[in-house]
Amino acid sequence: MIDAVAPKQRARSAGLRPAWLVAGALAVLVATLAGLAFGSASLPPGGVAAEMLNLIPGVRLESGLTDREVAILMQLRLPRVVLGLLVGAMLALSGAAYQGAFRNPLADPHLLGVAAGAGLGVTAVIVLGAGSTTEVPVGVPMAAFVGAVTAVALTWLLGAAGSRDRTPAALILAGVAVSAFLSAAQTFLLQRHVESLQEVYSWLLGRLATAGWHDVLVILPYALVTGVIVLSRRRELDVLTVGDAEAASLGLHPQRSRYLLIIAASLGTAAAVSVSGLIGFVGIIVPHTIRLLTGPSYRSLLPLSVLFGAAFLTLTDLLARTVAGDAEIPIGVVTAFLGAPFFVLVMRTSRAVPT
C-alpha cells in the first residue's frame, strides 16, 4: 500500500545514491582509523590498520607495534571508538526519526527533553545504588528508556496544549520546559544523595573516556532493535511528510506509525545516554547536513545518518581528547559548542528546508 506513493516521493528525491553510501563508509573508516591512531599517545596509522586486519580470521600482518602500543590499541582505544560509533549512529538516527515523526525540523533528543528524561532515569538508578556509570548494568538502559518515553510524551502533550496544531516553536518550547523540570528533579535527587554528585556530574557532561567492552555489549541489542525498526519505516516517514490526512488516504495509519517511530527513537536515545551521558545536538547537526546535501527523502537520510553520525561523534571524541593537550574535554561540551550555533542557523532557515 505504501508503495502507491513512491512515484510522488521519487519525484522529490533521487533516492539513496551508491556514491553517498560509499562516502559514508569511507567517513566511518577514516574516523575509525583516526580515533584509534591519535590521542595522548599517537600510534602509527599503518600499524593500527595492520592490527585491525589481523582481527580477520586467516590474516596475519606484521604491524610493527610494541606490546604496550597493542595494549593501548586493543584495551583502551578500540572499545572507546566502537562505542562512539554506536552512540553517534543512534543519536543521529533518532534525531532524524523524531524530525520525521513530529514533522519538525528542530526536533532533537536533547531539545525534546528525551535526553533529560533518560538522564533522570539513570540518575535515579545510580543514587538508589542499583547501578554505576563506570560499569553500566543491563537494567540501566531500561530505566533510561522509561524516563525518555515519559519525557517525550509530556513534550508531545504540552506542545499541543491550548492549540489544535503543534507548531515547531511550540513543540520545542514544550521540550525546553520538560527538560528544565526533569533537570530540576535530577538536581533535587543529587542534593539528597551528595555522595553520588561527582560521579553523576562527570557523566552528565557526556563522556566516552571510561568506555569498555561491557558498555558496547550493553548498548548493542538496543542499537540493533532501534536500527531495524526505524530503517524499515523509512518509506512511512516519507509518507508522513505529505500530512496525516493524505497519508491516511494512501493506506497509512499515521498515529500508529508515529508512535512506533517515537518509541524506537526513544529506545535508541536512552541506550546511548545510559552509556555515554548527555551528548546533545548530534541529532540536529548530522541529519540536517545530510538533508541539505542529498535531499529530504528519508530513504537516503536515515541510512546516511547512521554512517555519518557514527563518523561525526568519533571525530568529535578525538577532538575532545586532543585539543587541550593532556586535559580531556567532556565530549558533551564539544558537541554543545558545535551544535548551539548550528541550531540557530537551522532555526533561521527551517522554513526553507522541508522535513
Side-chain angles (χ1 to χ4, degrees), residues 191-335:
Q191 284 188 331
R192 305 288 293 178
H193 300 82
V194 292
E195 69 278 4
S196 302
L197 185 60
Q198 183 174 359
E199 180 184 358
V200 175
Y201 182 71
S202 63
W203 167 80
L204 283 175
L205 295 176
R207 60 98 179 94
L208 296 174
T210 59
W213 290 115
H214 174 80
D215 299 310
V216 174
L217 293 176
V218 166
I219 197 175
L220 189 58
Y222 300 94
L224 292 174
V225 171
T226 300
V228 168
I229 293 177
V230 175
L231 290 173
S232 67
R233 302 276 169 167
R234 58 190 184 279
R235 290 178 181 274
E236 295 182 16
L237 281 169
D238 275 332
V239 176
L240 287 174
T241 61
V242 302
D244 284 7
E246 188 171 348
S249 70
L250 294 169
L252 180 69
H253 194 302
Q255 290 299 81
R256 187 167 57 198
S257 296
R258 184 171 285 117
Y259 290 151
L260 181 59
L261 285 162
I262 291 172
I263 290 173
S266 299
L267 180 64
T269 301
V273 168
S274 67
V275 296
S276 67
L278 302 183
I279 300 175
F281 297 106
V282 179
I284 277 189
I285 295 174
V286 176
H288 274 282
T289 303
I290 295 171
R291 187 179 285 118
L292 290 172
L293 293 173
T294 68
S297 173
Y298 284 89
R299 284 178 296 163
S300 58
L301 180 62
L302 293 182
L304 292 179
S305 292
V306 171
L307 294 173
F308 284 101
F312 171 79
L313 196 65
T314 302
L315 292 176
T316 304
D317 180 49
L318 176 61
L319 181 66
R321 55 189 164 95
T322 56
V323 70
D326 294 335
E328 180 172 332
I329 302 173
I331 189 172
V333 174
V334 178
T335 58

Side-chain angles (χ1 to χ4, degrees), residues 48-63 74:
V48 170
E51 284 293 336
M52 292 300 99
L53 290 174
N54 285 338
L55 296 177
I56 302 174
V59 176
R60 187 58 196 165
L61 301 173
E62 180 57 47
S63 67
M74 294 298 181

Side-chain angles (χ1 to χ4, degrees), residues 70-79 211-213:
V70 172
I72 292 174
L73 175 64
M74 294 298 181
Q75 297 175 20
L76 298 178
R77 298 265 175 90
L78 188 56
W213 290 115

Side-chain angles (χ1 to χ4, degrees), residues 116-159:
L120 177 59
V122 175
T123 300
V125 169
I126 294 171
V127 300
L128 293 174
S132 167
T133 60
T134 56
E135 186 174 355
V136 180
V138 176
V140 169
M142 293 311 300
F145 175 61
V146 172
V149 171
T150 302
V152 76
L154 288 173
T155 298
W156 173 259
L157 293 174
L158 290 175

